[in-house]
Amino acid sequence: MWASKQGFELPNGLLVLDGSNHVRVEAVGSEFRVFANGELAFAVIDTTLPDPGQVGLFLVASGNLKQGDEDIVYFDNLRIYAPAPVTPDPAPEATVTEGATPAGTPAAATPEADVTAPAVVATEPAPATPAAPGVTVVLRDGFDDSASGWEVGDYDGGVVGYGDGYYFITADLEDEVMWGEAGRWFSGIAVEFDVTAVRGPENDLVGYGMKCGIPGDDREVQGYGVFVSADGEYALFRIIKKPEGEIGNNYEPLVDWTASAAIKQGYVTNHLRIECTGNALVLYINDELVDVAQVEGEIEGDIALAAVSFTEETAEVHFEDLVIYLAGGMVPPAPTAPAAPLPVTTEVEAVVAADALNVRGGPGAGYARVGSVAAGDRLPVLGRDARCSWLYVRTPAGNGWVSGTYIDLTASCDLVPIKEIAAAPAPVATPAAPQPVAAPPASGVIADFERFGTWRRGDESWATFTQSGEEVHGGSFSGKLAYDFPANAPEGRNYVVFLNRMPIGGQPATLRIWVYGDGSKSFLNVWVKDATGQIWQFTFGQIQHTGWREMSAPLNPALDWPVQPIGGSATALTYPLALEALVLDYPENRAASGVIYLDDLTAR
């Protein structure tokens, strides 16, 4: 006897008619998931599934067959393996389907004014070991398509919407969270994205992050919030609806504001991974596990990207390269030894999902690049780290590590043996100072332009600065600066500024950058902010060459123009430092246009 748990209607375009389809079926405990051609088709819960049980292949004949006709289906390349661990049985209605919204769930609503509540006693979360992330991508969004479904609106508290390859939020009111919802229903997910604080108060009092488990109704718990501040702290909250008659929500700390060295401070880019899975919130910042908080019940509902200003000054935050995938397991209440890897019974391949992906010498962004791979490349997986965050793969140029965020696996990560990992490279020490700056991602490296971030142009509009693969010195990308200076620029403003604050580790005497020159004789300058808040202009010199050449900028305030303090009269440089901007200064008043490329900015 057959009992239907899910009808046969699938999303349009998911199956190839009259052709070959790749099907994956997961049956673990009471969870039953069906994937067609790499996309999650549906998931259901059936507590009557036998465990263990038999596996069979079958064909249901079409209903319009005539006598003597037959339907034929061919099965090929069958593989059976153990999938990643799953959560304990959720309630029957807890399913995950890409883009699905349960009946009765309202569309994204106008945000209410969320005011941070007074401090309360934080609940101390039990230490936990996160389960290995799953390999099933639910949503990937580079925010290039303004019709991808995220909330767009201009409200009393700020604006949410799409920019050029990013999603932005402006928060106008002090201590009031502004957010934009995805308009989808999720359960058991991990969310990764790059986030950049673009503008806000001088003292970096800007917060950003994500809300998850948004129910879409008026229940008491309105979800959970994970926030990071540009001045180096993070917090995890339970969001509680205010009493009847009051508007908005209260944020009750699960983990109150806590400083973390993993956060790159200031108006720079951080990479966040937030897991809302089972009964836990898990926060990673720049690939480092920062904190875990347990909650009551399973987290499910909509998600939202969020920002907040902690002063009366407007804050603006940009979100880029968002990926949502099934997290694959509930965080256990106490540390447990990692399970022994299953023996490899079939070759697992990593299919590159990004346009270009760095191959590194170790499992982390701090290791040196040893190569790159392109979208669609299929790489045999030889090993992994304990969490499947990084994969050791074979490439035509040799073996190396790639980030699992931008990879689709052809089989469960549990089939890949854990590889012994050498110690990570030691970070550059940063001296203590009144305004500490976090260490850069790799020793001496300030920007390699692989993860481009947000470069904000100043008041002069004579140029653009974008990520490019056209001319590259190292890795897969460089920064392309295309300029078009007018004749007799007003007030002598024949220059253009691109702002992006980045930490500079140690006490370097020189900055170096590789420049693909055009022989224009323009000055390439750099603005550096020191520990007192003074901004200095130093220079790499005039671009008199063509092709690639490394240029140097001595950090010596005693040198002649164009070295000078910007908006001040200081005479000495105080460490630690932060990059503030790159500047192209054209020394003549005639019109000029051209293109230069910048790569591998380092401090020595």
Side-chain angles (χ1 to χ4, degrees), residues 51-143:
D51 189 11
Q54 294 182 326
V55 174
L57 303 175
F58 67 90
L59 164 65
V60 178
S62 57
N64 57 354
L65 278 182
K66 299 178 182 179
Q67 187 170 354
D69 292 342
E70 62 182 5
D71 282 343
I72 300 176
V73 173
Y74 295 96
F75 297 89
D76 197 5
N77 297 324
L78 174 71
R79 292 180 295 174
I80 300 177
Y81 53 87
V86 298
T87 63
D89 294 349
E93 64 272 15
T95 64
V96 181
T97 304
E98 179 176 359
T101 302
T105 302
T110 301
E112 296 173 338
D114 282 6
V115 182
T116 304
V120 299
V121 178
T123 303
E124 185 68 21
T129 301
V135 296
T136 303
V137 174
V138 178
L139 177 67
R140 194 188 304 275
D141 199 339
F143 302 113

Side-chain angles (χ1 to χ4, degrees), residues 367-453:
Y367 289 86
R369 295 191 311 275
V370 297
S372 63
V373 288
D377 286 354
R378 300 177 72 93
L379 312 172
V381 182
L382 309 178
R384 62 178 173 92
D385 64 6
R387 302 183 53 260
C388 282
S389 296
W390 287 81
L391 304 169
Y392 188 63
V393 298
R394 181 187 300 123
T395 78
N399 299 344
W401 292 85
V402 295
S403 171
T405 302
Y406 307 103
I407 286 294
D408 293 327
L409 292 179
T410 59
S412 171
C413 196
D414 281 354
L415 293 176
V416 180
I418 296 176
K419 179 175 173 57
E420 191 74 22
I421 299 170
V428 176
T430 303
Q435 298 177 0
V437 178
S443 179
V445 176
I446 303 171
D448 57 11
F449 303 101
E450 300 301 305
R451 180 175 289 169
F452 196 69

Side-chain angles (χ1 to χ4, degrees), residues 98-99 139-152 160-167 181-184:
E98 179 176 359
L139 177 67
R140 194 188 304 275
D141 199 339
F143 302 113
D144 298 305
D145 181 5
S146 60
S148 66
W150 289 84
E151 183 175 357
V152 175
V160 296
Y162 291 81
D164 184 10
Y166 59 86
Y167 186 78
E181 296 182 359
R184 299 169 174 87

Side-chain angles (χ1 to χ4, degrees), residues 266-329:
Y267 293 89
V268 299
T269 301
N270 283 277
H271 182 74
L272 303 187
R273 181 163 98 242
I274 299 169
E275 296 183 6
C276 302
T277 175
N279 65 341
L281 294 172
V282 187
L283 172 62
Y284 295 80
I285 303 175
N286 298 316
D287 297 322
E288 181 178 329
L289 174 62
V290 174
D291 219 323
V292 179
Q294 293 181 310
V295 304
E296 296 180 2
E298 184 169 355
I299 303 173
E300 56 181 347
D302 201 356
I303 66 170
L305 302 174
V308 59
S309 175
F310 299 114
T311 74
E312 295 179 352
E313 187 173 346
T314 295
E316 181 176 351
V317 176
H318 292 182
F319 300 84
E320 300 174 277
D321 299 329
L322 179 136
V323 181
I324 303 176
Y325 51 88
L326 300 184

